Amino acid sequence: MKRLSLAAAALCLALMCPFSAFAATPAKAAAPAAQPAPARQQQLQPEAAFALVAAEAEKNNVQAMLTLGSFYEQGIGVARNYSKSMEWYEKAAKAGQAEGYYNLGVCYEIGMGAASDMGKSVQNYQKAAEMGLPLAMYKLSSIYISGTGVSKDTAKGISWLDKAANAGMAMAANDLGAIYLSGLLGQKKDEKKALAMFTKAADLGSLEAVKNIAVMYKDGVGTMADPATAYTWYLIARRGGYAGEDIARTLGLLEGTLTAAQAQQAQKDADAWIEAYAKRQVGGAAPASGK
């Protein structure tokens, strides 16, 4: 379940929003999924934070209900109480908050505040997903693909994964790319479709997808081999802090195949992509998740 640090709790008091998606990247951000510097703000003592949130929740502020549930869950400003946590998540859900249903799904899945019950867990995830919560869609995809607490149904799992990707979840789009790339889970192998999904995931903020695109252009998978374009995507990956492989070495090898003009243009293309990404985040298109 999503957790709130004390710093996040203080932020929630300002916004009354317990679910923090990836923070919008500042205009000068280096790359997707890079985390901005923590906001400088006055910190409240946990007990004071709890009192303020509780007062708002009692006024039927549904965002505060979710935050209060998280405070009880984690023991922020109050003794940890999973039953009370679940109670407030349920109130938020009944007030129309998809996140409330999602949190209830987690509670029933792991047996927090109530006996473990996968049937009830799936029901709550389903409600949250039907209300448009990408995280719940992604969770349902995992449940149906693995057959956890339900009859295994790969087709239904892929369908929910696709819905999560279309709802803006970078991790879901990247997962679909990997599935199509290798023809997994009964899907037809389609490298071009994989590249399209990785591109979508990268646009949503997945550094893993950025790296996957770079590799595909380098190796000519799903597209013609294109060292200059591969170099561009590797530059984006490096600027974003991707550390899953020897980026510097790969960049050096690719640069050795390019003319000075090609390398310079690749640098410009990488800068332009990163700038466009940053503007999307400032404009409110923050990714639902990244991988």
Side-chain angles (χ1 to χ4, degrees), residues 1-289:
M1 186 177 296
K2 285 207 171 183
R3 305 282 180 177
L4 290 178
S5 64
L6 291 181
L11 180 60
C12 284
L13 289 175
L15 303 180
M16 284 304 164
C17 179
F19 254 57
S20 59
F22 276 92
T25 307
K28 294 184 179 180
Q35 297 299 307
R40 294 183 180 276
Q41 52 191 319
Q42 183 177 1
Q43 299 293 310
L44 293 172
Q45 291 299 314
E47 292 77 9
F50 174 83
L52 287 174
V53 171
E56 288 296 319
E58 294 292 352
K59 295 176 185 176
N60 296 319
N61 182 322
V62 293
Q63 298 287 353
M65 292 176 186
L66 284 171
T67 303
L68 188 58
S70 181
F71 278 20
Y72 273 116
E73 178 193 340
Q74 298 174 64
I76 297 176
V78 67
R80 183 169 287 172
N81 187 322
Y82 294 140
S83 295
K84 292 290 290 184
S85 173
M86 194 172 182
E87 176 185 325
W88 281 104
Y89 289 147
E90 186 169 14
K91 287 182 179 180
K94 289 181 177 179
Q97 286 295 96
E99 293 90 343
Y101 283 113
Y102 179 85
N103 286 356
L104 283 174
V106 174
C107 290
Y108 280 116
E109 181 176 2
I110 66 177
M112 189 188 78
S116 178
D117 188 327
M118 276 305 297
K120 289 183 179 180
S121 176
V122 172
Q123 288 174 8
N124 281 285
Y125 287 141
Q126 181 88 26
K127 288 179 180 178
E130 291 173 348
M131 293 174 71
L133 187 67
L135 189 60
M137 299 173 191
Y138 189 78
K139 182 65 177 180
L140 281 176
S141 75
S142 175
I143 286 174
Y144 281 109
I145 288 172
S146 65
T148 304
V150 298
S151 297
K152 188 172 182 177
D153 190 331
T154 301
K156 186 176 286 188
I158 293 293
S159 176
W160 277 114
L161 194 60
D162 188 61
K163 289 177 181 178
N166 287 333
M169 190 170 196
M171 185 182 295
N174 187 67
D175 285 357
L176 281 172
I179 288 169
Y180 292 129
L181 181 63
S182 299
L184 303 174
L185 301 176
Q187 302 304 298
K188 182 179 179 181
K189 183 175 180 178
D190 190 330
E191 294 174 348
K192 289 185 178 180
K193 194 170 184 179
L195 180 58
M197 292 309 304
F198 287 141
T199 300
K200 180 174 186 174
D203 287 341
L204 290 169
S206 170
L207 273 176
E208 184 68 25
V210 169
K211 184 270 299 182
N212 290 337
I213 295 168
V215 172
M216 292 182 79
Y217 275 107
K218 176 175 69 70
D219 297 339
V221 178
T223 183
M224 293 291 291
D226 187 337
T229 301
Y231 186 69
T232 298
W233 284 103
Y234 273 112
L235 285 173
I236 295 169
R238 183 179 66 177
R239 298 266 285 279
Y242 187 85
E245 61 179 73
D246 189 352
I247 295 289
R249 179 176 178 276
T250 304
L251 279 168
L253 291 173
L254 287 171
E255 188 172 3
T257 68
L258 306 178
T259 66
Q262 287 175 319
Q264 185 177 34
Q265 184 60 51
Q267 291 275 359
K268 291 180 179 179
D269 290 343
D271 290 342
W273 191 95
I274 291 168
E275 182 179 358
Y277 173 84
K279 286 181 178 178
R280 288 197 301 274
Q281 308 321 300
V282 173
S289 181

